[in-house]
Amino acid sequence: MSRIHVTTTINNDETDYLCETDETLLDVLRDHLDLTGSKEGCGSGDCGACTVVVDGRLVCSCLMLAAEAEGRTIETIEGMAGGDALHPLQQKFLEHAALQCGICTPGILVAAKNLLERNPNPSEEEVRYWLAGNLCRCTGYDKIIRAVMDTAANTRGAA
Amino acid sequence: MPKDEYQSRDFKVVGTRPIRPDGIDKVTGKARYGADITAPGMLWGAILRSPHAHARIRGIDTSKARAIKGVKAVITRDDFTYQPEDSDMADILDNCMAGETARYDGHAVAAVAATSKSIARAALAAIEVDYEVLPHVTDVDEAMKPGAPVIESGRQQENVPKGYSENVTGRSQYGHGDPEEGFKQADLVIKRSFKTAATHQGYIEPHACLATLGSDGQGDLWVCTQGHYMVRNVCAGVLGLDAGQLRVTASEIGGGFGGKTHVWMEPTALMLARKSGKPVKLMMSRDEVFRATGPTASSSVDVKIGMTKDGKITGAAATYRLQAGAYPGGIAFLSAMCGFAPYDLENVRTEGFEVMTNRPKAAAYRAPGAPMGAYPVESVIDELCQKLDLDPLDARLKNAAREGTKSSYGPTYPAIGLEATLKAAQSHPHWTAPLGPNQGRGVACGFWFNFGGDTCVSLMVNPDGTVSLSEGNPDIGGSRASMSMMAAEELGVPLDQVRTIIADTASLGQNEVTDGSRVTFAVGLATIKAARHAVEIMKERAAMTWGIDPEAVDWRDGAAHPAGPNAGKFPPMTIKEIAAIASNTGGPIAGHHEVNAEGAGVSFATHMVDTEVDPETGAVKVLRYTVFQDAGKAVHPDYVEGQFQGGAAQGIGWAINEEYIYGDDGRLQNAGFLDYRIPVASDLPMIEPVILEIPNPGHPYGVRGVGETSIVPPLAAIANSVSRAAGVRLTSLPMSPPKVLAALKAE
C-alpha cells in the first residue's frame, strides 16, 4: 500500500511522517508519533477527547485525515506546558480537582485554552457552550467550569 | 457484626485538599491509559461482531481473511479448546466469543490480528459467516411471557414460579410484615407501574488491552480495568491457564462506573497473541462499546405504598423485573433490596425477577440495581405527599431508618446518616428558594450497601525515610491521593514523603475489583493497618537502639519517643533516622496488611433538584441541583464532592436523555455518542455538594464509600421535580421531550 509523505509542524517542531490514505490525524499522532495525549473516545467527532488545534482552530483529530496536515501548524496537549512550567489552565485544573479519571482532560484543556485566547472574559454560559463538544462522564463539569473561570479571572488580574 | 474500628481523632492530613499525585501526568497527556502503549513487533487486533439479534452460526469461513498478507492470526470459538467447568466462566467465554449462537447484535463471532489496523479491518470484511436468523426478544416484559423466543434453555432456577418463559432465570424476595394488612391502615394507597430504559456507563475510554501469551503458558496483559486481579482470574479460568503465570498490569483507567468490572475481550487478545506468537493490541470502537459491553438493565416495576394522613407509611410492596441481557445473572435482587432501604417499615415485601433477552450481557453500573429500586418508590412517596398535602422531607423524616432500624432487606442498621441528610436538606436555602412558572422542585432519597472485600497493601519505609505504598486497586478518581493521605496521617509524616502506586498482580495478593465504593474504605483500612504495622517495627528498632522495652516507646509526629520519664531520657528518633540505620537494626522496614474487609458502612443521600418544563416542546432544563450525602469521613473532600457531582450528572442523563433504542430487527439503533446523548456542559447547572460526616463504626477514621450512592436518588428526584412542574406524574424514563409532551397533552 502506497503511503503519503506529509511535512507539518507539531508543537513548534517540524515533523514529517508517512501515512496511509485512510489514516486520521489522530491515528498518526498516537500510533506513529507516540503523542498519545490525544485520546480516541469515539472516532466520530462526538466526544472531543482527541481535540487539537490546527492553524488556530479547534479540530477533532479523529475527523481529519493525516494527509490533510501537510503544511499546517498543529498544537496538541503535549505542547501546552512550557518545559516544566504548567500552563495556567493545567495548574488550575489541578487546584480545582477538575479531573477524576482524566481521559477527557487533554481535550478539554486544549479546547479551554483556545477559548481563553479568543475570549479572556467568558461568562459561565459561554464556557459551558464552548466545552459542550467535550464529553466528561466523571465530574458533572462543575469543577471544570470553575477551573476555567478561575484561570480567566487570574489571567485578567495578572494582565 | 464487624468490630468497632472507629476512634475519634484530630486529623492533620485527612480532610485537606492537596493536589493529586497523578495530576501532572494527567494534565500534560503523559498518563498512559489502556490504548496508550505499544510493544516491539506488536500486531493490531480486531473483532467481527454479529449483525443479528439472535442467530445460529452454521459456519464461519476464514480462509479469505487468512490469505491476506499481513494477517497473522484469525480465531473463532473453535480455537478456544479449553471448556471451563464453572458456568460463570463458560458464560464469559461464550460472551467473549460466540459458540453455536449469536445472542445479540454485537456479539463477537471471530477475531483477527494483523500488522496494521487497515489490514485487520480488511480481514474482518473477508470473513464469511453463515447465519440462520432466529426469532428474538429485546423487551423485558415480552421476554417473560410464555412463548417468547428463548435465549438459552435450562437456565431457570427452581425459585421461579410456573407460568413464565424460561427467560426468567431467577426470582428473589425480601421484606417482613404483611403489606396487605398495612394497606388497610392507610388513608391513601397508590399503586403505579414504572419503566426505566437501559443506559450505558458511558466511560469516555473504550476498552483496550495489550496482550502477550507464549506457548509455555506465560503471559502479560496491560489493560484498562477496574480490577486487574479479576481480569487475571477470569482470563486464566476461561483459557485454562495458571493464574500465577499470567501477570496483569492495570493501566490508567478512563472511567468505568462498573462497566470495567467485567471481562469483555481480554481472553480474545490473549488467544490472538498465543496464536500469532506476537504481542497484540486490541481496542474497542465506541460502536463496539455500546453494542457489546454492559449497559445496565432496563426495568419494569410495580409499586404499591400506603400512607396515613400524617405521613406514616403503613404498607409497601414492589415487584422488579430487570433484564440481564443474553446470559443468566441480573441485578433485580439488588433493586428489591435497595428500594425501601431508607425507611423504617413494619410491612414491606419486594420481589425481583431476572430476565434474559437478546441484548448485551448487562453489567454493573454505579450502585447496580439501586437507582431502579429507588425511582418507583420515591416517585410514589412523592405522589402520596402531594395528594395528602404533606411536606416530602417531613414525610421522609417521619419514616426514616435510623440506628437500630431493621432494614427492608434484613440487617439491622448501626449508626447511619439518612436523617442527617434530610435535616441538612430542610435547612438549606435551596429548599425555600422561590420557583417560577413551569418549574418544580423534587426530592428523593437513596441507599447503597457499600462493600469491603479482599484487600492487600504493602508499605515500604525506604532507606531515606520516605514511604512507598503499593495497593492493588486501579485509581479511577483520585484514590492514590487518599491512600497517601491516610498513610501520611497514620505515620505522622508530610504527605509528599509518601508515594502510592498500583501494583501488578504478581506484586501483591488478591484484591477485589474497584467496585462497591470499596477502595477508600477497604484499601484505606488496609493502608492504615499496614502503616501501624510499620510503626510497630520502627518502635522496636528505636527501643533496640535505646536499650529499652518496645512497650516503652510511643509514636507521634513521625518519630519514636520514650513513652514517659521512666522509659529514659532519649531524644526522639525520626522515621528518617530509624530508616537510615535499619540495616544495622534488623534489616529493611515494611508494613503490610491483608484482609477481607468487613464493616463497609451503608450510605444514604438526599437529592434536591429544580427543573423547568417547556410546555411547547416538552424539554426539561435542570436549573439547580443539591446533593446531601453522608461520607462518614471525607478523606479528600474535593474528590468526595466530585463523586457526588458525577453521580448526580449521570442520574440526570438517565432521567432525561439516555436510553438504548432497539429496532424491530433487534439491532441497537443509537450506538454512538451523537444519538446516545450523555449530558454535556451546557445541559447542566453547577451541582452543589453538601458533605455530611456520620462516622462509620467499621473504619478507623470513620470512612464510608461515597462513589455509588450519588446515582441512586437522581432518577426519582428529577422525576418528582418534572412531575410537579408539569402537573402530571411521569412514570417512564427517560423523560425525553416527546414523552413529556405526550404526558402534558394527555393531561
Side-chain angles (χ1 to χ4, degrees):
Chain A
M1 195 179 295
S2 70
R3 296 181 184 217
I4 299 168
H5 183 228
V6 174
T7 304
T8 183
T9 302
I10 301 179
N11 300 329
N12 289 323
D13 292 331
E14 272 197 32
T15 307
D16 71 314
Y17 54 80
L18 293 171
C19 65
E20 294 178 19
T21 52
D22 63 352
E23 281 186 299
T24 66
L25 176 59
L26 179 62
D27 289 332
V28 165
L29 290 174
R30 291 182 54 80
D31 302 341
H32 299 341
L33 304 176
D34 209 21
L35 293 169
T36 54
S38 304
K39 308 299 181 187
E40 179 162 333
C42 67
S44 54
D46 298 313
C47 79
C50 67
T51 302
V52 299
V53 175
V54 178
D55 291 342
R57 290 179 58 108
L58 286 180
V59 168
C60 287
S61 59
C62 73
L63 293 184
M64 179 171 156
L65 289 172
E68 293 178 293
E70 175 68 36
R72 308 287 189 113
T73 299
I74 296 164
E75 300 163 53
T76 73
I77 184 64
E78 286 88 351
M80 194 160 168
D84 65 354
L86 294 179
H87 185 278
L89 271 166
Q90 293 172 313
Q91 185 62 36
K92 286 293 177 194
F93 266 56
L94 295 180
E95 290 171 9
H96 284 265
L99 55 142
Q100 285 179 36
C101 81
I103 195 87
C104 70
T105 307
I108 288 184
L109 283 168
V110 169
K113 177 168 176 275
N114 195 257
L115 167 66
L116 297 188
E117 284 164 2
R118 291 159 188 262
N119 179 0
N121 188 18
S123 66
E124 181 190 330
E125 192 171 19
E126 284 171 326
V127 176
R128 286 187 180 277
Y129 275 85
W130 188 266
L131 295 179
N134 292 83
L135 300 181
C136 169
R137 191 59 157 172
C138 294
T139 64
Y141 304 101
D142 184 300
K143 293 180 189 298
I144 293 172
I145 304 300
R146 290 179 197 277
V148 175
M149 301 286 288
D150 190 23
T151 308
N154 243 31
T155 308
R156 289 196 306 275
Chain B
M1 206 63 182
K3 59 179 181 251
D4 201 347
E5 296 271 3
Y6 175 67
Q7 285 179 306
S8 175
R9 63 191 283 162
D10 292 324
F11 293 105
K12 290 181 174 158
V13 182
V14 165
T16 64
R17 300 173 185 248
I19 286 175
R20 63 195 284 168
D22 54 327
I24 288 180
D25 279 0
K26 286 182 173 165
V27 298
T28 55
K30 284 187 290 198
R32 295 272 167 159
Y33 293 81
D36 292 345
I37 67 162
T38 53
M42 185 189 88
L43 303 175
W44 298 89
I47 294 175
L48 185 68
R49 298 183 179 278
S50 167
H52 303 294
H54 199 193
R56 185 165 294 116
I57 299 169
R58 285 192 289 229
I60 302 178
D61 183 352
T62 61
S63 56
K64 287 177 186 160
R66 279 186 278 117
I68 296 173
K69 278 192 178 172
V71 173
K72 302 297 181 185
V74 182
I75 62 170
T76 66
R77 179 63 175 274
D78 288 345
D79 292 279
F80 293 82
T81 51
Y82 178 78
Q83 182 54 39
E85 286 176 21
D86 178 85
S87 68
D88 287 343
M89 291 292 167
D91 284 344
I92 293 169
L93 169 59
D94 198 70
N95 190 39
C96 286
M97 190 62 72
E100 294 173 359
T101 309
R103 299 183 180 209
Y104 56 92
D105 167 34
H107 198 167
V109 296
V112 303
T115 52
S116 76
K117 283 182 187 170
S118 57
I119 294 173
R121 281 195 295 268
L124 290 188
I127 295 172
E128 294 169 359
V129 185
D130 181 13
Y131 292 106
E132 177 193 346
V133 176
L134 302 171
H136 67 270
V137 60
T138 57
D139 179 82
V140 65
D141 291 320
E142 291 299 319
M144 292 178 74
K145 292 177 184 167
V150 172
I151 286 74
E152 185 186 358
S153 203
R155 301 302 292 266
Q156 191 167 66
Q157 293 174 5
E158 288 173 1
N159 58 18
V160 177
K162 293 207 185 314
Y164 292 107
S165 155
E166 273 197 272
N167 293 324
V168 181
T169 56
R171 180 207 194 198
S172 52
Q173 294 175 289
Y174 300 90
H176 51 256
D178 182 353
E180 290 306 322
E181 280 304 309
F183 296 140
K184 290 178 193 164
Q185 300 161 27
D187 293 307
L188 181 62
V189 177
I190 292 180
K191 182 182 179 186
R192 277 201 183 271
S193 297
F194 295 83
K195 285 207 170 200
T196 67
T199 56
H200 197 276
Q201 296 80 352
Y203 33 83
I204 307 299
E205 181 199 28
H207 300 265
C209 65
L210 175 62
T212 63
L213 181 60
S215 54
D216 58 359
Q218 283 188 37
D220 281 276
L221 188 65
W222 161 273
V223 58
C224 66
T225 175
Q226 289 176 246
H228 43 310
Y229 290 83
M230 174 277 299
V231 171
R232 178 195 63 178
N233 300 345
V234 169
C235 287
V238 162
L239 299 174
L241 304 171
D242 293 334
Q245 297 298 320
L246 179 61
R247 183 178 62 162
V248 183
T249 305
S251 71
E252 295 294 336
I253 173 171
F257 315 107
K260 290 177 182 167
T261 60
H262 306 260
V263 159
W264 306 107
M265 62 170 198
E266 291 77 8
T268 305
L270 287 163
M271 186 59 77
L272 286 168
R274 180 149 81 187
K275 200 157 182 203
S276 66
K278 310 266 191 197
V280 173
K281 182 162 164 174
L282 186 59
M283 306 178 296
M284 282 197 192
S285 66
R286 178 55 54 181
D287 175 89
E288 289 179 284
V289 172
F290 273 114
R291 287 167 68 210
T293 73
T296 190
S298 74
S299 73
S300 166
V301 188
D302 305 322
V303 172
K304 188 174 179 182
I305 303 176
M307 192 180 265
T308 62
K309 275 185 243 175
D310 61 351
K312 181 76 188 160
I313 297 172
T314 54
T319 299
Y320 295 92
R321 298 169 291 267
L322 270 68
Q323 59 174 298
Y327 295 87
I331 54 170
F333 74 102
L334 293 172
S335 303
M337 292 170 87
C338 294
F340 289 105
Y343 302 111
D344 185 354
L345 303 174
E346 276 180 35
N347 301 299
V348 56
R349 295 282 169 185
T350 61
E351 62 179 344
F353 289 97
E354 318 290 356
V355 186
M356 284 172 73
T357 56
N358 291 113
R359 292 201 190 198
K361 183 180 179 180
Y365 179 16
R366 203 170 198 157
M372 313 78 140
Y375 159 61
V377 169
E378 296 290 321
S379 293
V380 170
I381 289 176
D382 193 61
E383 189 174 358
L384 285 161
C385 290
Q386 277 184 302
K387 293 193 169 152
L388 293 170
D389 198 22
L390 296 167
D391 177 300
L393 289 175
D394 282 342
R396 283 174 171 82
L397 266 171
K398 194 173 193 75
N399 297 285
R402 297 171 170 83
E403 185 169 359
T405 294
K406 181 177 167 55
S407 69
S408 59
Y409 65 96
T412 298
Y413 291 127
I416 55 172
L418 175 62
E419 215 172 356
T421 68
L422 284 163
K423 285 182 175 165
Q426 271 185 327
S427 59
H428 192 280
H430 185 169
W431 185 230
T432 46
L435 287 166
N438 300 315
Q439 296 179 358
R441 176 165 300 138
V443 294
C445 297
F447 157 89
W448 183 242
F449 308 92
N450 290 335
F451 182 57
D454 287 339
T455 307
C456 297
V457 165
S458 284
L459 183 150
M460 284 66 74
V461 179
N462 301 313
D464 66 353
T466 60
V467 175
S468 299
L469 183 72
S470 292
E471 54 144 325
N473 278 91
D475 173 357
I476 312 184
S479 61
R480 270 166 295 195
S482 298
M483 296 315 135
S484 293
M485 290 170 76
M486 284 185 267
E489 185 77 51
E490 198 63 34
L491 293 169
V493 300
L495 180 60
D496 64 7
Q497 300 289 294
V498 183
R499 181 170 182 191
T500 301
I501 62 120
I502 314 300
D504 63 49
T505 55
S507 303
L508 284 175
Q510 171 70 15
N511 283 279
E512 173 65 44
V513 298
T514 296
D515 71 354
S517 302
R518 74 176 215 93
V519 172
T520 313
F521 164 73
V523 184
L525 181 143
T527 295
I528 292 164
K529 297 288 179 79
R532 289 178 182 173
H533 182 205
V535 163
E536 287 310 307
I537 296 168
M538 290 191 284
K539 283 160 67 176
E540 287 169 15
R541 303 296 176 88
M544 185 191 299
T545 306
W546 294 331
I548 63 173
D549 194 288
E551 304 293 314
V553 179
D554 273 350
W555 186 268
R556 61 178 186 273
D557 300 330
H561 298 256
N566 295 338
K569 284 193 174 180
F570 304 102
M573 280 187 83
T574 63
I575 188 169
K576 188 172 179 177
E577 289 162 343
I578 295 170
I581 59 165
S583 190
N584 299 327
T585 56
I589 298 166
H592 61 98
H593 193 71
E594 295 78 30
V595 65
N596 180 352
E598 295 181 12
V602 298
S603 163
F604 293 90
T606 299
H607 287 202
M608 188 181 297
V609 56
D610 298 350
T611 61
E612 181 171 322
V613 175
D614 183 333
E616 289 183 9
T617 65
V620 173
K621 177 87 183 158
V622 180
L623 304 172
R624 183 171 182 179
Y625 205 109
T626 311
V627 176
F628 308 87
Q629 187 175 319
D630 172 20
K633 175 67 194 174
V635 176
H636 192 311
D638 276 345
Y639 292 101
V640 172
E641 291 170 359
Q643 291 296 323
F644 290 9
Q645 293 164 332
Q650 285 187 316
I652 290 168
W654 198 336
I656 298 176
N657 276 330
E658 298 177 30
E659 67 180 310
Y660 264 45
I661 299 170
Y662 279 88
D664 291 339
D665 58 2
R667 296 182 192 181
L668 182 61
Q669 296 189 326
N670 59 336
F673 278 136
L674 186 63
D675 298 316
Y676 182 98
R677 192 172 181 286
I678 72 173
V680 304
S682 53
D683 292 335
L684 300 180
M686 292 296 185
I687 297 167
E688 183 180 344
V690 179
I691 300 173
L692 286 305
E693 294 186 325
I694 290 81
N696 169 23
H699 186 277
Y701 297 170
V703 168
R704 295 175 199 269
V706 298
E708 290 166 291
T709 307
S710 53
I711 203 173
V712 183
L715 312 191
I718 297 160
N720 293 341
S721 169
V722 171
S723 296
R724 285 169 181 261
V728 52
R729 181 58 48 180
L730 277 296
T731 58
S732 173
L733 301 186
M735 294 176 288
S736 53
K739 252 189 231 173
V740 174
L741 202 56
L744 285 170
K745 285 191 173 158
E747 184 64 8

